[in-house]
Amino acid sequence: LARIKLNVMCQIVGLNVCMSGSALSCEECLIIHPSCAWCAQEKFGSARTLMSRCDLRQNLQKRGCEAHHMESPRSSTKVVKSEPLSSKGSGPTQYDVIQIMPQKISLSLRPGDQTSFKVQVRQVEDYPVDLYYLMDLSLSMKDDLDTIRNLGTKLADEMRKLTSNFRLGFGSFVDKNMSPFSYTARKYQDNPCNGYKLFPSCVPSFGFRHLLSLTDKVDRFNEEVQKQMVSRNRDAPEGGFDAILQAAVCKERIGWRKEAFHLLVFATDDVPHLALDGKLGGLVQPHDGECHMNEKNEYSGSTNMDYPSLALLGEKLAANNIYLIFAVTKRLYVIYKNFTALIPGTTVEILDQDSKNIIQLIVNAYNSIRSKVELTVWDQPEDLSLSFTATCQDGQPLPGLRKCADLKIGDTVSFDVSIDARGCPAPGTQQSFTIKPVGFKDRLEVSVDYRCACGCTDQTQANSTHCSSIGQYTCGICHCDPGYLGARCECQEGEAGSMYLSACRQAEGMQICGGRGECSCNQCLCYESEFGKIYGTFCECDDFSCARHKGILCSGHGECHCGECKCHAGYIGDNCNCSTDTSSCVSDDGQICSGRGSCACGRCQCTEPGAFGDTCEKCPTCPDACGTKRECIECRLFSSGRLSDNQTCQRLCKDEIITVETLKTDDPNAVLCLYKTENECVMKFTYSEHANGMSVLTALKEPECGAAPDAMTVLLAVVGSILLVGIVLLAIWKLVITVHDRREFARFQSARSRARYEMASNPLYKQPISNDYVETDFSMYSKSYNGAAH
């Protein structure tokens, strides 16, 4: 379907990648593009041009080329060996356990024509386990040594709950017994602790000592540990990486079984020496990655070679299918966590100061390792491009991922692997590579051959009559002998005439052969150029006049055809510098750029304000920041929420979570998040991004829940409130009445005072007359009135 769309698109825009190429033979045509086909039919096309035989398949059919004369091979996949996956690891069939299917396939690849195949992986139940315990015996680990003296029996009991076939081994290390790494003065040769008051006696320093080969007799482990004494080195770093490499490559001495799960536990309380540190002691020879164990089972190259590099460690651990578990103290966790990103198949766990949690640590690490499947590719040829799509337990395809997590023992996961070739190697070249899960002995072997040759070349005719008996007839065209040219070798070089010149001009008035060639026998013979190849009917094309990126033609990811870059599969752009692969943009939750940006040229361009990070996964100020981190808080701290149900918590939530009793909210770079739990409590946490790129969540150990109010207390409070309000109202009423009464009394008193004044001093006022006087006067008046009347 994609090929059909491409062909339609090419026709719409007027571009035909097959015709615009410089194909002068069938093989050259096949390399241009997987949609190109070559017509080997004898009578076909124009006699004037050779490129007309290379075209899209449907165009050749329209122009009369019969299907059986077309050369257009396709990439194909053939399963060579595919035995079914096993379900159990121990028992009579343990030597034939199969955990990957298929086991062998064969690919035939045409450049640019992608093909794919499916790989299934299953971690079987009850698989045998070999565990080698590698311990730091420097002086600071004395209390740890005392703790593990009976480790063998207890560890075996726990591991036999997980597998019925368990073996245990033991080895120890300190550091190179040379200056400046250890005490080398004469008085310290037999006892480096000489004069050290806290611990006056210890054994001489050593690089690595293999003490017990892997065995199912765990009592021997206890016996060997009982014999051990600590030593003392001068500097803080230890020589543990020397010991890891020897434990990995000395397979016969250690006793690693091919059909077992290999665990190497590395217990220490300090940082390791790395490559180039040995130069401080004059060791300039790099580590050769080989086994150097003497008859005393001690590392004999300790004082001859430098410490191994991280790359060398990763290579040897992977080659021997060994999972490395760093058991380190809390202060070293971040350092060793960074190592795990550089060494495939490693994990890190926090070890208590006295190693009292070592058994649970190993069990947890084992369960964590067994819950993951990750594919690696070995010996991949440079001209092959591989892409993976994982389908884990939820059944959803995850493009760009080659890893599944949160698995249970016995789960089966699948991976779709797409592969295409970017070019053709020398004829007859066969290549191969291997796909294997990290830590597994099982592998898928893939052999590759290339379909770069045309079948019509098997019918080549020398001195053919089709070529005037002076040329070789191959795939419908003539390859003329030296000194001859023409479609049928009918002309000799040097012949020229005016009748031929017009056929060598692209248009009237233009230069003959574009000024980049000579016209001979009705054809342009293009000049040679120190920059590349000039070609075309009128020498109008070349393979060097294309866009460049950083000085590289077509960025090295395409071919230059007639001034235009034809990009390889997976690249676009004028100069092919832009990758279409989005796997590097896929965030842990399976989204492109975490849903906060777009993927351009294989890199995320964050469009959400405040978002940053390789996949825009960091965004403290985004609206969904608190909601996203809330789900991680719920599943990591309380095993609840949406992520807990689909078992994706460990895959999606990788941030560091710190729990505290009291949450500090004064950090300006931290975002405070709150949410209400199912119990109506409030959970608080802060989200911040450190300068080292790590996301840190600081959360309360428990949500804040308010205590329920007491019913009697509420009742008394209500009654008391009512009484109090009543009393207050009465007091106010009494106050108002009192004020009013006093005002009225004052007015009354004022009126009385005015009345007293009027009676005492008013000139119009007369004292009232007594009753007797009034009656006499009245009687006199009456008599006078009566007399007058008469």
Side-chain angles (χ1 to χ4, degrees):
L1 180 62
R3 191 175 294 117
I4 294 174
K5 290 181 179 179
L6 174 62
N7 295 340
V8 172
M9 180 185 72
C10 291
Q11 293 175 350
I12 291 176
V13 300
L15 173 66
N16 187 325
V17 293
C18 307
M19 292 288 289
S20 63
S22 57
L24 299 178
S25 67
C26 180
E27 287 76 11
E28 292 181 5
C29 178
L30 299 185
I31 296 177
I32 293 176
H33 195 273
S35 63
C36 297
W38 177 272
C39 182
Q41 190 170 301
E42 179 181 347
K43 296 181 179 180
F44 175 78
S46 171
R48 195 174 73 84
T49 176
L50 299 176
M51 289 186 290
S52 60
R53 290 181 176 272
C54 184
D55 204 342
L56 301 174
R57 189 178 184 91
Q58 60 268 32
N59 291 348
L60 293 177
Q61 289 177 334
K62 291 178 181 178
R63 290 162 55 197
C65 185
E66 299 176 3
H68 65 277
H69 285 299
M70 290 187 193
E71 295 286 342
S72 182
R74 300 262 72 88
S75 296
S76 62
T77 301
K78 179 183 178 182
V79 177
V80 179
K81 182 180 180 181
S82 181
E83 297 183 4
L85 297 171
S86 303
S87 58
K88 194 173 180 62
S90 295
T93 61
Q94 72 179 57
Y95 298 102
D96 301 318
V97 172
I98 296 174
Q99 300 183 95
I100 188 171
M101 184 179 74
Q103 294 81 45
K104 287 185 180 181
I105 63 173
S106 176
L107 302 177
S108 293
L109 301 179
R110 175 181 174 179
D113 187 25
Q114 189 178 86
T115 188
S116 62
F117 55 89
K118 178 175 287 188
V119 181
Q120 289 185 308
V121 182
R122 176 191 297 164
Q123 295 228 40
V124 300
E125 299 178 7
D126 198 22
Y127 198 66
V129 175
D130 285 348
L131 189 151
Y132 192 78
Y133 192 86
L134 187 56
M135 184 175 181
D136 177 3
L137 284 187
S138 60
L139 192 58
S140 57
M141 293 286 285
K142 183 181 183 301
D143 54 344
D144 301 78
L145 180 61
D146 295 336
T147 301
I148 70 162
R149 294 194 185 277
N150 295 312
L151 173 67
T153 305
K154 297 177 182 178
L155 179 59
D157 291 341
E158 290 296 325
M159 291 301 295
R160 286 189 178 118
K161 297 177 183 178
L162 305 173
T163 176
S164 61
N165 194 337
F166 175 70
R167 299 199 312 169
L168 185 62
F170 181 58
S172 61
F173 66 91
V174 181
D175 206 345
K176 296 181 183 295
N177 192 11
M178 60 185 300
S179 182
F181 313 113
S182 298
Y183 292 94
T184 57
R186 182 173 300 177
K187 67 175 182 177
Y188 296 125
Q189 289 181 355
D190 297 325
N191 180 13
C193 297
N194 188 3
Y196 188 59
K197 295 181 180 180
L198 295 178
F199 196 78
S201 179
C202 59
V203 298
S205 179
F206 55 91
F208 165 62
R209 185 174 292 157
H210 170 53
L211 300 169
L212 177 66
S213 298
L214 292 163
T215 177
D216 55 2
K217 298 179 176 59
V218 295
D219 290 340
R220 291 193 56 198
F221 180 92
N222 297 338
E223 293 172 3
E224 287 298 331
V225 174
Q226 294 285 350
K227 299 175 185 177
Q228 302 311 308
M229 293 181 62
V230 294
S231 182
R232 184 188 181 198
N233 58 323
R234 174 175 286 177
D235 59 351
E238 318 291 5
F241 280 9
D242 268 342
I244 291 175
L245 193 139
Q246 292 304 299
V249 299
C250 299
K251 296 180 290 187
E252 290 76 15
R253 294 286 187 97
I254 304 298
W256 298 114
R257 293 176 293 179
K258 183 179 179 181
E259 67 285 351
F261 194 78
H262 302 159
L263 294 178
L264 177 57
V265 179
F266 179 80
T268 185
D269 64 348
D270 222 317
V271 296
H273 277 297
L274 302 176
L276 301 181
D277 285 358
K279 289 189 175 183
L280 296 173
L283 302 178
V284 296
Q285 180 181 348
H287 205 293
D288 59 7
E290 301 296 329
C291 177
H292 296 280
M293 298 279 285
N294 58 25
E295 63 280 358
K296 295 181 180 179
N297 282 335
E298 293 184 350
Y299 175 39
S300 60
S302 178
T303 57
N304 298 324
M305 289 183 291
D306 193 7
Y307 298 96
S309 64
L310 292 173
L312 182 60
L313 275 183
E315 175 188 340
K316 296 304 178 181
L317 289 170
N320 294 283
N321 308 318
I322 295 174
Y323 276 106
L324 176 62
I325 301 173
F326 288 124
V328 299
T329 52
K330 187 174 183 178
R331 70 180 181 87
L332 302 175
Y333 179 82
V334 174
I335 295 175
Y336 281 88
K337 185 68 175 176
N338 293 335
F339 288 157
T340 63
L342 303 174
I343 307 176
T346 58
T347 185
V348 59
E349 298 287 342
I350 296 178
L351 181 71
D352 288 349
Q353 289 293 339
D354 57 358
S355 296
K356 63 183 179 182
N357 68 328
I358 186 63
I359 294 178
Q360 190 59 46
L361 180 153
I362 293 173
V363 172
N364 291 344
Y366 173 80
N367 290 330
S368 174
I369 291 170
R370 293 279 277 168
S371 68
K372 296 180 290 188
V373 170
E374 181 177 4
L375 297 185
T376 58
V377 181
W378 288 67
D379 304 321
Q380 177 181 342
E382 292 184 358
D383 59 349
L384 295 184
S385 175
L386 276 74
S387 60
F388 293 80
T389 298
T391 304
C392 304
Q393 283 307 101
D394 56 4
Q396 297 297 320
L398 301 172
L401 294 184
R402 58 175 76 180
K403 178 180 179 180
C404 284
D406 305 319
L407 304 177
K408 297 178 181 178
I409 302 299
D411 287 346
T412 302
V413 295
S414 63
F415 301 87
D416 289 314
V417 185
S418 300
I419 180 171
D420 64 87
R422 291 190 287 265
C424 284
T429 299
Q430 285 194 337
Q431 296 177 326
S432 63
F433 61 92
T434 301
I435 296 177
K436 66 188 296 288
V438 175
F440 285 48
K441 71 177 181 64
D442 306 75
R443 63 188 65 206
L444 168 60
E445 297 177 359
V446 183
S447 60
V448 182
D449 62 67
Y450 297 83
R451 306 196 70 174
C452 297
C454 298
C456 56
T457 56
D458 297 335
Q459 302 173 2
T460 299
Q461 301 174 17
N463 299 321
S464 172
T465 56
H466 296 296
C467 306
S468 305
S469 300
I470 50 175
Q472 189 179 71
Y473 184 72
T474 303
C475 296
I477 61 173
C478 287
H479 295 281
C480 303
D481 291 343
Y484 294 88
L485 48 89
R488 294 289 179 261
C489 303
E490 69 274 19
C491 296
Q492 282 186 292
E493 291 183 3
E495 294 181 358
S498 59
M499 61 178 295
Y500 298 125
L501 297 181
S502 60
C504 294
R505 299 181 192 271
Q506 192 168 8
E508 188 65 31
M510 295 187 67
Q511 286 184 301
I512 295 175
C513 299
R516 301 203 297 179
E518 296 178 355
C519 185
S520 178
C521 193
N522 209 30
Q523 291 183 342
C524 284
L525 297 179
C526 302
Y527 297 140
E528 292 184 358
S529 172
E530 60 179 321
F531 302 109
K533 182 179 180 180
I534 300 175
Y535 59 92
T537 305
F538 306 103
C539 301
E540 73 276 16
C541 296
D542 59 58
D543 61 1
F544 52 83
S545 299
C546 289
R548 298 171 181 263
H549 178 64
K550 295 182 178 180
I552 301 176
L553 190 67
C554 299
S555 305
H557 300 304
E559 306 294 336
C560 181
H561 291 293
C562 206
E564 184 176 359
C565 287
K566 307 298 180 184
C567 303
H568 295 152
Y571 292 90
I572 58 175
D574 293 340
N575 54 11
C576 303
N577 69 323
C578 185
S579 172
T580 61
D581 183 20
T582 61
S583 60
S584 59
C585 296
V586 178
S587 56
D588 289 337
D589 60 1
Q591 297 188 76
I592 298 295
C593 301
S594 305
R596 299 176 180 136
S598 59
C599 188
C601 300
R603 299 184 66 180
C604 280
Q605 295 182 349
C606 304
T607 56
E608 183 78 19
F612 64 100
D614 292 340
T615 58
C616 305
E617 76 280 6
K618 303 178 186 302
C619 187
T621 60
C622 286
D624 63 338
C626 285
T628 303
K629 301 305 179 183
R630 166 189 172 173
E631 294 177 341
C632 291
I633 292 291
E634 289 177 335
C635 76
R636 289 272 297 277
L637 297 186
F638 307 112
S639 299
S640 63
R642 181 180 66 86
L643 299 184
S644 177
D645 295 337
N646 56 23
Q647 297 181 339
T648 56
C649 185
Q650 294 298 323
R651 177 166 63 86
L652 298 181
C653 301
K654 299 178 180 178
D655 299 335
E656 181 183 358
I657 298 181
I658 302 173
T659 57
V660 295
E661 295 288 348
T662 303
L663 190 65
K664 296 181 179 179
T665 59
D666 54 354
D667 186 357
N669 297 320
V671 177
L672 176 62
C673 300
L674 305 91
Y675 69 90
K676 186 174 290 186
T677 67
E678 296 176 354
N679 300 327
E680 297 299 319
C681 299
V682 176
M683 184 62 188
K684 298 180 180 179
F685 65 93
T686 59
Y687 168 33
S688 61
E689 297 288 345
H690 282 191
N692 59 8
M694 291 184 61
S695 300
V696 179
L697 304 178
T698 305
L700 293 175
K701 289 186 177 180
E702 296 293 339
E704 293 181 347
C705 300
D710 182 67
M712 182 58 68
T713 303
V714 173
L715 180 60
L716 292 176
V718 172
V719 173
S721 299
I722 294 174
L723 291 174
L724 180 61
V725 170
I727 293 171
V728 171
L729 291 176
L730 285 173
I732 295 174
W733 176 81
K734 180 63 176 177
L735 178 62
V736 171
I737 293 299
T738 301
V739 172
H740 179 266
D741 289 348
R742 287 184 176 178
R743 286 179 178 175
E744 290 297 321
F745 182 75
R747 192 178 296 116
F748 172 76
Q749 290 286 66
S750 177
R752 286 185 63 186
S753 297
R754 286 197 302 272
R756 188 178 299 115
Y757 167 79
E758 289 174 356
M759 289 187 295
S761 58
N762 189 351
L764 299 179
Y765 178 77
K766 290 184 177 182
Q767 184 72 23
I769 303 172
S770 66
N771 289 339
D772 293 341
Y773 179 81
V774 173
E775 288 179 355
T776 302
D777 192 54
F778 180 71
S779 64
M780 290 176 65
Y781 176 79
S782 297
K783 290 177 178 180
S784 297
Y785 177 76
N786 290 334
H790 289 288

